[in-house]
Every structure is written in structure tokens, then in C-alpha cells.
Amino acid sequence: MQQRIIFIDGAMGTMIQRYKLTEADFCGERYANHSHELKGNNDILVITRPDVIYDIHMQYLEGGADIIETNTFNGTTISQADYELQAPEEVFLINKTAAELAKKATAAYMAAHPGERKFVAGAVGPTNKTLSVSPSVENPAFRGITYDEVVDAYYQQLEGLYAGGVDLFLVETIFDTLNAKAAVYALEKFFADTGVRIPVFISGTIVDNSGRTLSGQTNEAFWNSISHAKPLAVGLNCALGASDMKKYVANLSACADCYVFCYPNAGLPNAMGGYDQKGSEMAEEIRPFCEENLVNAIGGCCGTTPEHIAAIAAMAKAYPPRPLHPVEPLLRLSGLEPLNYTPDASNMRRTFLNIGERCNVAGSIMFKKAIVNNDYDTALSIALKQVQQGADVLDINMDDGLIDGVAAMTKFVNLCIADPEISRVPFMIDSSKFHIVEAGLKCAQGKCIVNSISLKEGEQKFKEQATIVKNHGAAVVVMAFDETGQAAGFEDKVSMCQRAYRILVEEVGFHPQDIIFDPNILTVGTGLPEHNNYAVDFIRATAEIKRVCPGSKISGGVSNIAFSFRGNEAVRRGFHSAFLHHACKAGMDMGIVNAAQVREDEYSKLDKELLEYVEDVLLNRCENATERMLEFAATLEPKCKPTAVRKLADAAGPKITPKVNPIPPGFDPLAPPAELAVVAPYSPK
């Protein structure tokens, strides 16, 4: 694929129709007395009419195909259930036999054409079920199948295909990205269980000229969701003819760092559902793909034949393949649309990602009440409002003793997926219980953030959970917490995060950009002297963690900083704004916030007198900063805003105590250590 454009075969179904097979052909001897009609179940022809499938394979090879696909598009227990052939032994037989038949064809061709190499792709179709769309109009949270059932079905198919000797796996015609993620999860499990790894191709399907999959994702969002599979190649197939597909292949070619392929239909279907486009016509429609260096491989889907592949190969052989190109290392998330986080080092506050906090039962009484009362319409309205008010990511947490966390997480995420405005943004699946995290991941087709895992239970559990998160394709928040407890001071925050980073990068194989540390935003202004430096320690640790853990991100629950001042809006929100100002200057990337408030409470607009008291506490600028803050807070109307402070009617108010032991003029409490430790190089897995 680096040396030339390679060619994939064309449609199997189109070719099978030419043979005008009967029910008897589909049944053969093995299924002569089967309980269900089998005509149309093309996959079993590898057993009942292997001569037909072998002949089709040979025709495509003679037509110039470098890769032929096994006849297993519907080779899962799920799809074969339509014909009452879902028994595992039947599915295994179909896939193993199909792979062996295709390998026999390539072997015969290569024997007759010394020097040529041909390959067999194990075709893994989308199944006839969708994990992201409800089959019930009345119940958008309902799914016709579970994620685990789809993973199991794919795993069984992979076993049969590999036993038959396929050279690579092709996950194709993906109309629902969550199905593709289930296939990738099955692939990773299969590779881990067998100790082998063969190349993977993944191909999505755009259903119309909107450029989206059936489940609503753009093709770049699709790539962000499945890129963790590290496929050898990614592409698009089916649904559209070449001319309509080109701009979407161009977009995929720009954002993917692997090889890119496409196999379009032979134009659009006619009134009778057939395809009229000739091979030479299709080749001319594909020529611009080659002229613009968009592809490394080309094939055909519905309506294409060996004649089409021969014409495409004759045209494309004169063009060089698309060169591989690096892609900027970024945290790439997705809902229905991509979110490629591009931090601005000169102004991190401008590029800060607002993670909406109101769909967290611990952070919103209204949301918790809605979930407890099974009032999901209200819960969804809270989610929608956050997105409309500027949340870049939506935090979802169901941790409460009154709530069945798995059931609530599953239902709510499914409902959010059904709303295109809510599901436009990525989700943060948030729980202290890992099985609830998994439940949320199994519902979301986009690339999520998991919040969170830690070293609290030791390295083995940490690696197990991190591997599961990685196999689901999610980014991960790592809390600064280990076997000894929670990191409170600067040194502990840095050392715990650096230890976790090394494990994730070197042992689990996490992309550094997908690692997000939460060094623990702890409450200041409590009256306890040992808490006074918590904000300073977090801010200083932020800069140091990003230095010693290159590519990683920093997040946190911003409302934690001012728990001591709940009930006084101006003070509480002033703390949030001032904290974000300083933390972002140190490199903080994102945080769980009230999106509307943090946009409204811009640091430069804060009341200057209020800000002086707030920053005395935040930056630990004098011993009695908390007492002075409380004295000043008592002069304010509790519901006023930090940008429009209003004093109580008693203008005089209490007397403010003078500062005790203020920091010396010119001293910067947020300055980095005088001597920075040398960072040993990392060895990514």
C-alpha cells in the first residue's frame, strides 16, 4: 500500500444473483430438512455451493483484486438467527469454511501467477441490529440487543475466520459506530486471548449526502471513535456512488494517520433497485480520488462485478498511492461531531473545555430528584440546557444509594443518544464504581472520557481497568490517589500522576493525549491551617505534571474549591473564576463546571474588592485570609453576582481584621520549583 494502490474485490451478492440459485442450492445436503427457508442466506453457500463462491473469488482475482473478502457478511449468530442457524457450531463452520475457500482461491491464483501476492480479508458485517437506535418509537431508551451480545457474536465470528486462515479482518459497512466499537472490543479480546495480532481494516457507511452514518455521526467523529483500534486502513463503502462519496473520503484522508480506502457502489440504484453504471464509467468517477492522492486501496460494493474491478485497476495503476502523513497529536473526542481539543498555550482559559456538571446526582438536587422519580424528561431537559449554554462535554454521574446506578446510567445515556442536540457533544462517564462506568461506555457511540480510575487498589487493578477503558476507545481521568491515600500536597500530586502516566504509556499502551489527570481540587477556606495551601499546591502541580507527563491533560471538579462558601453566590462564583484564571495559566485544560456561570463570570469582570479577598485565600497570602473573607462575605447580599456585587443595607458592616503575616512583596506563591527534576524518557508500548 506504500508502493501502489491496491484493489479490493467487488460485490458478492451481485455475482451470486447471476447464478439464479434455488432453495435447493441454498439447502444442499446439510440443510435439506431445515425448518426455515434458506434462500437469500448467501453465507451458507460456502457450505452448500462452494463451487459458486470459489468461482466468484477466482473471477475477482483474475479481474485484478489484490484482496478478496470471505463470503461472511452475515456470518454472526445475530444475523443467522433470521434463518434459525444461530447455533455457535453452525456459525463457526460458516466462517471457517468461507475463509478456507477464499484461501484456496488465492493459493490457486498465486500458483498460476508466480510473483503475485493475494490476500483474504475476513468480512465482518454490521449485523442486522443497531446499538444506538431504538427499534421502538415509543421507547427511545430501548435497544433490540445488548452491547455484550454483539461483542460475543463478533468474537465467535472472528474465531471461525481466523481458524480458516484469513490474512486480515475487515469490519465493514458500519452504519452504527457503537456496533463498530463492539467489533473492535471483540477484536482486542480475541487478540489478547490468542496472543496473535493480524491487520484490521474498518469501513464505515454514510447513508446520504449529509455525510453522516445512520446513527448520526460525521465521518471524522466516526474516526475519532474507532481510531483506538489502530487499523492498518480505514475507509468508506456502500450507500453512495463514487462521485457522492469523494468529499467524505477526502475528509477521512485528511484526519486519519493510517491507510485510506473506499469501495463505492456502482452509482445509485435505479427504480428497480439495480445498478446500471458500467465498469468504465465507475472507473472515471473514481479517477479524481487517484489524481488527488486520497486513497491507498479501491474496490467495489453493491452492483459491482469483476468487470468493474478490472476497469478500476486499469485506470488506477498509473497513479501513486496516498502517502501516509502524521496527524497532530491532540485529545480527539466525539459525540455526533468531533471535538479535537487544541489548547492555546498562550491563553489556556480561552481554549478551556467546560464539562457540564448538572447531570451529576451529587452536584444537582434537581437532577437527582428527576432520576429518583424516574422523570427522565426533566433529566434530559437539564442535559440539553447545559449543551445550549456552552458545555463542551457532558458529565453523567449516577452514584447515589437511592439509585440503581447501572440501570440509570444505561437508560439516561441511551436517551441522550436519541437526542441529536445533546449527543452532539462527547460524554464524560463518571462513577466511582467501575461497573457503572462500563455500563455507560457500552451505550455511547462517540469517544467518551471516563472519570475516573486510580492506583488506590494497586497497580494490577489499575492496569486492568485502564485496559478496558482503552479497548472501549475512551480517554481517561486518573485521580491523584494511590495505595497510601489521596494526594493533597504538591509533591504527592506530581509523584502519583507521574507513576500512573508511566504505567499507562509504557505498559497499557495509552496515547498520552488521552490521559487526563485530576490532581484533586480540595477545599480552601475551611478554617484548618493544613488546608490553606490546597489551591496553590494544585496550581503548581498542574504545571509540573504537564512538564513531567508530556501530552497529558489536567482536569478537576472546580466547585470543590469553594464548598466552604456555599450559600454566598458572589464569593463562591468568584472563587471559581479566580481559581480557573490561575489554574489555566498553569496549564489546566478542562474542568467540571457550571458552563453558563464560568462564561458569565469572566475574571477581568470580577469585582476588584471581592477579588482581593478571594485571592488572599486562594493563594494563601496571609494567615488570617479565611477569617477576613468571612468578614467581607458577611457584608454582601448572598445572591448577588461576583461581577455585580451588592452590599447589604447596613453599609458599615463588620470591621475587617488587618492581615496577619502577609506574604512579602514580590513573592510569587505559584512560582515553579527553583530546580526542576530531570524527566527520564518514556518508552511507549
Side-chain angles (χ1 to χ4, degrees):
M1 295 172 80
Q2 288 180 321
Q3 298 171 352
R4 66 174 178 87
I5 295 173
I6 67 171
F7 306 104
I8 305 170
D9 63 5
M12 179 61 74
T14 299
M15 293 297 292
I16 289 173
Q17 290 173 11
R18 291 183 173 184
Y19 290 80
K20 302 190 183 304
L21 302 178
T22 65
E23 177 69 13
D25 292 302
F26 283 87
C27 290
E29 292 183 12
R30 183 177 179 86
Y31 306 113
N33 299 312
H34 191 63
S35 60
H36 282 60
E37 183 178 332
L38 295 179
K39 187 176 181 181
N41 185 3
N42 289 345
D43 295 38
I44 61 167
L45 292 173
V46 299
I47 298 170
T48 62
R49 287 298 306 270
D51 57 314
V52 170
I53 305 304
Y54 180 85
D55 184 46
I56 294 171
H57 284 326
M58 291 304 297
Q59 289 183 58
Y60 276 120
L61 291 167
E62 294 289 351
D66 298 294
I67 297 174
I68 58 171
E69 299 180 45
T70 56
N71 183 37
T72 53
F73 186 81
N74 290 305
T76 58
T77 53
I78 296 167
S79 297
Q80 287 300 314
D82 288 350
Y83 302 97
E84 282 299 316
L85 286 175
Q86 68 270 33
E89 59 271 19
E90 294 292 345
V91 168
F92 182 85
L93 179 64
I94 289 169
N95 286 282
K96 182 174 182 290
T97 305
E100 290 171 340
L101 193 59
K103 288 294 286 184
K104 178 182 176 183
T106 56
Y109 181 88
M110 288 188 290
H113 301 79
E116 293 192 38
R117 294 195 66 192
K118 303 294 181 179
F119 302 92
V120 172
V124 179
T127 81
N128 54 8
K129 301 286 187 180
T130 171
L131 285 167
S132 296
V133 180
S134 173
S136 170
V137 177
E138 293 78 21
N139 185 2
F142 176 71
R143 297 294 183 267
I145 196 166
T146 69
Y147 181 90
D148 290 337
E149 288 171 336
V150 175
V151 170
D152 290 344
Y154 278 136
Y155 189 92
Q156 292 172 29
Q157 182 176 30
L158 298 174
E159 287 182 307
L161 291 169
Y162 186 74
V166 297
D167 301 301
L168 62 119
F169 292 119
L170 170 57
V171 180
E172 65 171 334
T173 321
I174 295 299
F175 55 81
D176 179 347
T177 308
L178 190 52
N179 286 43
K181 290 174 69 177
V184 170
Y185 196 89
L187 281 163
E188 290 302 321
K189 184 176 186 301
F190 178 78
F191 292 150
D193 290 348
T194 60
V196 300
R197 183 174 290 271
I198 63 175
V200 173
F201 284 25
I202 301 178
S203 184
T205 292
I206 290 170
V207 295
D208 56 36
N209 279 313
S210 68
R212 295 178 182 264
T213 62
L214 181 67
S215 54
Q217 275 197 315
T218 67
N219 62 340
E220 185 173 359
F222 166 76
W223 167 245
N224 285 3
S225 296
I226 58 93
S227 60
H228 64 287
K230 297 182 179 178
L232 180 64
V234 67
L236 297 174
N237 76 287
C238 202
L240 302 175
S243 59
D244 291 327
M245 187 183 284
K246 178 178 171 290
K247 60 183 175 182
Y248 306 117
V249 173
N251 186 50
L252 199 57
S253 179
C255 65
D257 57 0
C258 61
Y259 296 115
V260 171
F261 65 94
C262 70
Y263 47 113
N265 292 343
L268 297 175
N270 58 33
M272 302 300 292
Y275 292 84
D276 301 320
Q277 191 174 68
K278 304 300 181 186
S280 58
E281 296 169 340
M282 185 175 180
E284 285 307 308
E285 284 200 359
I286 290 177
R287 187 182 295 277
F289 292 61
C290 303
E291 291 174 334
E292 297 177 31
N293 290 129
L294 300 180
V295 291
N296 302 96
I298 310 171
C301 202
C302 301
T304 60
T305 66
E307 292 77 18
H308 290 79
I309 301 305
I312 292 168
M315 176 277 298
K317 67 182 181 181
Y319 296 92
R322 165 187 173 271
L324 286 176
H325 62 81
V327 174
E328 185 179 3
L330 299 174
L331 170 61
R332 298 177 187 273
L333 307 172
S334 61
L336 292 182
E337 298 172 5
L339 193 168
N340 300 326
Y341 171 58
T342 308
D344 179 354
S346 66
N347 187 357
M348 294 290 285
R349 186 67 187 90
R350 183 183 67 80
T351 53
F352 183 83
L353 293 181
N354 294 309
I355 303 172
E357 67 180 357
R358 310 308 293 171
C359 290
N360 184 325
V361 294
S364 169
I365 295 174
M366 183 182 298
F367 183 75
K368 176 182 174 181
K369 182 179 179 181
I371 298 298
V372 170
N373 293 337
N374 202 34
D375 181 6
Y376 281 85
D377 287 341
T378 295
L380 284 171
S381 70
I382 293 170
L384 178 60
K385 186 175 181 180
Q386 288 184 94
V387 175
Q388 292 172 336
Q389 290 181 335
D392 301 297
V393 179
L394 201 61
D395 180 73
I396 302 173
N397 181 293
M398 298 292 177
D399 287 0
D400 188 271
L402 297 176
I403 297 170
D404 180 339
V406 169
M409 179 68 78
T410 300
K411 183 173 183 177
F412 185 67
V413 175
N414 279 345
L415 287 169
C416 287
I417 293 293
D419 187 308
E421 183 64 17
I422 297 173
S423 59
R424 176 176 60 81
V425 304
F427 298 155
M428 173 177 275
I429 306 299
D430 184 354
S431 179
S432 60
K433 302 175 178 67
F434 194 71
H435 65 285
I436 298 177
V437 166
E438 288 188 275
L441 291 174
K442 291 173 182 179
C443 299
Q445 67 173 328
K447 180 175 178 178
C448 302
I449 301 173
V450 163
N451 187 13
S452 60
I453 62 173
S454 75
L455 286 160
K456 180 180 180 180
E457 298 180 70
E459 287 191 7
Q460 187 58 39
K461 177 63 72 174
F462 178 73
K463 286 188 281 190
E464 288 173 4
Q465 294 181 344
T467 299
I468 291 171
V469 172
K470 175 174 169 283
N471 289 347
H472 279 291
V476 67
V477 173
V478 179
M479 298 294 296
F481 211 121
D482 70 5
E483 302 90 338
T484 65
Q486 186 180 47
F490 168 80
E491 290 81 7
D492 285 346
K493 292 178 190 289
V494 174
S495 64
M496 288 185 196
C497 290
Q498 190 170 15
R499 177 187 171 201
Y501 180 88
R502 192 173 293 279
I503 293 169
L504 290 173
V505 171
E506 296 187 341
E507 299 184 44
V508 180
F510 245 91
H511 194 294
Q513 302 290 337
D514 287 340
I515 300 171
I516 304 164
F517 288 113
D518 183 339
N520 306 318
I521 298 177
L522 302 174
T523 305
V524 295
T526 65
L528 297 175
E530 58 266 33
H531 297 175
N532 290 352
N533 219 48
Y534 277 168
V536 171
D537 284 335
F538 180 95
I539 294 166
R540 292 180 66 235
T542 291
E544 182 64 1
I545 290 167
K546 297 193 77 171
R547 185 184 74 86
V548 300
C549 303
S552 66
K553 307 291 178 280
I554 300 293
S555 181
V558 175
S559 62
N560 293 351
I561 196 69
F563 270 163
S564 299
F565 300 99
R566 283 177 294 177
N568 192 311
E569 284 292 282
V571 174
R572 183 181 63 84
R573 288 169 59 173
F575 266 94
H576 297 169
S577 179
F579 176 81
L580 282 175
H581 171 76
H582 293 289
C584 287
K585 285 178 70 175
M588 187 176 181
D589 300 275
M590 64 192 75
I592 301 174
V593 297
N594 183 312
Q597 288 182 0
V598 298
R599 287 177 182 273
E600 181 181 355
D601 302 338
E602 185 181 324
Y603 179 80
S604 63
K605 297 178 182 178
L606 295 180
D607 179 88
K608 295 301 182 283
E609 185 180 16
L610 169 64
L611 181 60
E612 178 72 17
Y613 287 98
V614 165
E615 291 190 329
D616 279 348
V617 176
L618 269 182
L619 304 182
N620 194 17
R621 296 194 299 206
C622 62
E623 285 185 9
N624 62 335
T626 298
E627 292 82 356
R628 285 167 45 81
M629 180 75 258
L630 291 170
E631 291 167 355
F632 180 73
T635 70
L636 307 180
E637 290 187 9
K639 298 301 179 183
C640 68
K641 296 179 180 180
T643 55
V645 168
R646 296 192 305 272
K647 297 288 185 75
L648 292 169
D650 181 7
K655 182 180 178 181
I656 306 298
T657 305
K659 292 183 180 183
V660 174
N661 291 328
I663 61 174
F667 175 77
D668 182 4
L670 301 180
E675 294 186 8
L676 297 175
V678 176
V679 182
Y682 296 95
S683 302
K685 182 178 177 181

